[in-house]
Amino acid sequence: MTTTTGRPPVRAPARPPRRAGQRSSLNGRDRTFGFMLAAPAVALFIAVAVYPLVSSLGTSLFDQSLIRPGRSFVGLRNYAEVWPDFVDRLGTTLVFSVLATVLPLLLGTGIALLLNARIKGRAVLRGVLMLPWLLPGVVVSFLWAWIFNDSYGVLNHVLSQLGLPEVDFLGAPGTALAAVIIAKSWNTFPWMMVVVLAVLQTLPREQLEAAAIDGASRRQRFWHVSLPHLIGPVALVTMLEFIYNFGSFDMIFVMTGGGPGTSTMTLAVSIYQYAFVEFSLGRAAAMGVLWLVALSVVCAAYFLLNKRLEARR
Amino acid sequence: MSIVPFPPARRRSRHVGEGITRPTLGVLGKLGLSVLGLFGLLPVYWLVATAFMRREDVFSKDRPFFPFNPTLDNFGAFFEDTALLSALGNSVIVSAGTAAVSVLVSGLMAYSLSKFRYRGRNLFMVMFLVGQLVPGVLLLVSLYLMFSAAGLLYTYTAVVLAFTTFTLPLTVFLLKGIIDGLPDEIIEAGKVDGLSNLAILFRIIFPLITPGLVTAGMFAFMRGWSDLLFALTLAGPDKQTLPVGMTSAFIHEGSGDWPALMAASVITSLPLALIFIALQRYFVSGLAAGAVKG
């Protein structure tokens, strides 16, 4: 899921309060009916998400091409062949996902804190600031490719007006990744903004007021009352955003296609490249499996670190 | 009607101590907000402004920052381009299909998860929650092979099935939250009246949660409308959607006609903006609150 709009928030399966005897009216036949209702969704999910995930394990062991039929078993050869690429692309992917997560987080939190103040037209401003998140990833990519354009882009126009040298942002290996990260951060900061704003609006008013009466300064109130409430939800959303970015495809594909050279080639773009440019499905699948292993390691590290931090607290 | 999917907006009235929970902004704060706000809005302005500019202005030495001689030519070019028009048609078909299938399938599932207790229910919920973290690119190869073997490659069906699967986690939990708010007595009353299980669902539950179903459908529509990856690989040349059509035109022609590309971008974004205006309440309060609770 690399679409940047319509990002699914993870909603808690909120459990309704269960009163004693509440479900007494549901007999065995009703349960079967309930199960049947879930069947289409579950079947679809297994067929289109779970099964493909598992079957790519199998594909990764075969030499299989997109353009000719048949396949031959090659064991782990695909893995050996993609390993050097994987190591290289993992680095790029990590740089991209860390920065494209941290920048929107800082930006979104900053705007949310400012928007939480009493200002005129706050609701309108909040709504309008959602626009970057709303645009399809492809549109965001075109827009920023146009802004960063070397000969006609508005950014270079401004630079030259200021007497500064013009830069080929997307054409130079040093700046291309930075340019995509900026575009991606622009695309997702509204989401962080909305989350932080939502938490800020549920802060315990009494605690803030009590702290103020006790003489706590604005900064102290933020550090000791607001921040502890913010950390949990923000950490969760940050983690999710990191996972999405780790598999993000559309903006890098459109803006740079992985280039120049392989300077913006992330794992996701690399998998596409293997499958649909080099037609090597086996290697693409092997890269996908390595992708999954890498993400699992990162997630495990996050949880261990989190646990240790919590234990220390 | 008592069916309010999300908590209503906070009271607007002032209260004692509002200056503490909601302070006024100082000069620095206002300055910071303006700078950040401009970072958010200037690119959008540039998107729309370029779409209305004449080609010769955009590519001239003294490029204006404002379309002094606005033109509709760029939009006209979009509607004369048969490839883009057919992509627009495909987008409408595929997104509407995704919305329809998503609403039906996730409506059934949400009712099931909300009001029935059976073995496997928790497993289903965990599967959907975890499943939405799997990126599409990881399933790409297998999906391609699978749809190819089933003869569904390069059909609307393949694209709609792929989109729907990835909207399900969102729409299911959205609708489940709403159905959780319906009292069980409604179902029991239906039973007393002698309605079948299906009749209760379609004649009582669904009509009661129509706003929620519409919201879920719109989210699914937006997902289908914006996706690039699946449309790029599973839809083929004839069924490609707008993001794919624009991307292939853009990549093949290189840095060509930027005003036309921006106009096409505006047209592509417009339906989403309209849906957003309709759903703003749900986006901003409900979804964020849901994400935070998760």
Side-chain angles (χ1 to χ4, degrees), chain A residues 1 3 5-6 34 52 66 118 186, chain B residues 23 112 132 136 142 144 223 226-227:
Chain A
M1 279 169 296
T3 44
T5 58
L66 187 71
R118 189 140 35 92
W186 180 80
Chain B
S112 160
Q132 69 172 327
S142 302
Y144 188 91
R223 169 61 63 78
S226 303
D227 176 88

Side-chain angles (χ1 to χ4, degrees), chain B residues 30-41:
Chain B
K30 278 181 184 155
L31 194 72
L33 188 59
S34 310
V35 171
L36 293 176
L38 282 180
F39 174 73
L41 295 182

Side-chain angles (χ1 to χ4, degrees), chain B residues 82-151:
Chain B
T82 48
L84 282 178
L85 273 188
S86 94
L88 177 66
N90 288 335
S91 272
V92 171
I93 293 171
V94 167
S95 308
T98 305
V101 179
S102 296
V103 165
L104 181 65
V105 171
S106 60
L108 299 179
M109 172 102 186
Y111 180 52
S112 160
L113 287 180
S114 177
K115 297 296 181 194
F116 295 87
R117 299 289 176 271
Y118 48 84
R119 209 179 283 261
R121 181 177 163 278
N122 287 322
L123 179 73
F124 291 168
M125 287 206 277
V126 171
M127 187 173 83
F128 274 60
L129 280 176
V130 175
Q132 69 172 327
L133 295 176
V134 176
V137 77
L138 217 53
L139 310 173
L140 208 54
V141 170
S142 302
L143 279 181
Y144 188 91
L145 291 172
M146 209 173 82
F147 283 126
S148 171

Side-chain angles (χ1 to χ4, degrees), chain A residues 11-309:
Chain A
R11 310 199 86 241
R15 205 177 281 264
R18 269 173 109 167
R19 281 172 279 126
Q22 188 187 8
R23 310 281 161 197
S24 58
S25 65
L26 295 176
N27 60 32
R29 247 183 57 214
D30 283 336
R31 280 188 197 189
T32 314
F33 176 73
F35 187 85
M36 296 302 288
L37 290 178
V42 171
L44 194 61
F45 209 73
I46 289 177
V48 183
V50 179
Y51 167 77
L53 199 61
V54 177
S55 89
S56 63
L57 268 174
T59 309
S60 72
L61 301 176
F62 286 86
D63 178 18
Q64 187 168 3
S65 166
L66 187 71
I67 44 179
R68 73 182 143 72
R71 60 181 196 173
S72 55
F73 185 80
V74 292
L76 295 176
R77 205 179 74 198
N78 285 324
Y79 288 92
E81 281 171 358
V82 300
W83 181 257
D85 280 358
F86 170 75
V87 174
D88 175 64
R89 269 117 232 212
L90 180 64
T92 312
T93 308
L94 279 174
V95 171
F96 173 80
S97 6
V98 169
L99 289 178
T101 306
V102 172
L103 286 180
L105 173 70
L106 294 177
L107 210 63
T109 309
I111 295 196
L113 287 171
L114 293 170
L115 271 184
N116 194 44
R118 189 140 35 92
I119 43 172
K120 264 184 207 157
R122 178 167 153 275
V124 175
L125 194 56
R126 184 183 64 178
V128 174
L129 278 175
M130 289 295 288
L131 273 174
W133 183 69
L134 207 62
L135 302 178
V138 170
V139 167
V140 176
S141 311
F142 289 145
L143 171 57
W144 281 88
W146 171 222
I147 290 173
F148 283 128
N149 184 274
D150 55 338
S151 31
Y152 302 103
V154 67
L155 201 58
N156 271 322
H157 186 50
V158 172
L159 283 181
S160 73
Q161 303 259 316
L162 294 173
L164 294 167
E166 300 195 358
V167 184
D168 184 3
F169 292 100
L170 290 172
T175 48
L177 189 60
V180 181
I181 289 171
I182 289 172
K184 182 77 187 173
S185 304
W186 180 80
N187 183 207
T188 45
F189 86 85
W191 176 240
M192 295 291 192
M193 172 188 88
V194 164
V195 171
V196 176
L197 207 51
V199 185
L200 284 176
Q201 294 184 348
T202 58
L203 284 184
R205 194 183 289 162
E206 300 76 18
Q207 282 185 27
L208 282 169
E209 286 165 7
I213 292 167
D214 289 345
S217 72
R218 215 155 133 178
R219 187 165 298 169
Q220 283 171 326
R221 289 203 301 269
F222 176 75
W223 281 105
H224 298 293
V225 184
S226 305
L227 201 60
H229 284 279
L230 277 169
I231 280 181
V234 167
L236 179 80
V237 175
T238 307
M239 178 73 190
L240 290 178
E241 200 57 42
F242 176 84
I243 294 176
Y244 290 132
N245 282 333
F246 205 78
S248 160
F249 171 79
D250 53 0
M251 289 189 51
I252 300 175
F253 179 76
V254 176
M255 285 181 76
T256 66
T262 57
S263 60
T264 58
M265 187 73 85
T266 58
L267 290 172
V269 180
S270 187
I271 292 174
Y272 176 87
Q273 181 105 4
Y274 274 129
F276 293 95
V277 179
E278 298 171 19
F279 304 127
S280 173
L281 297 182
R283 286 188 210 166
M287 198 68 145
V289 173
L290 290 174
W291 185 102
L292 208 56
V293 174
L295 184 69
S296 312
V297 171
V298 172
C299 288
Y302 167 83
F303 282 117
L304 284 179
L305 190 76
N306 210 16
K307 225 173 166 184
R308 190 168 288 184
L309 283 177

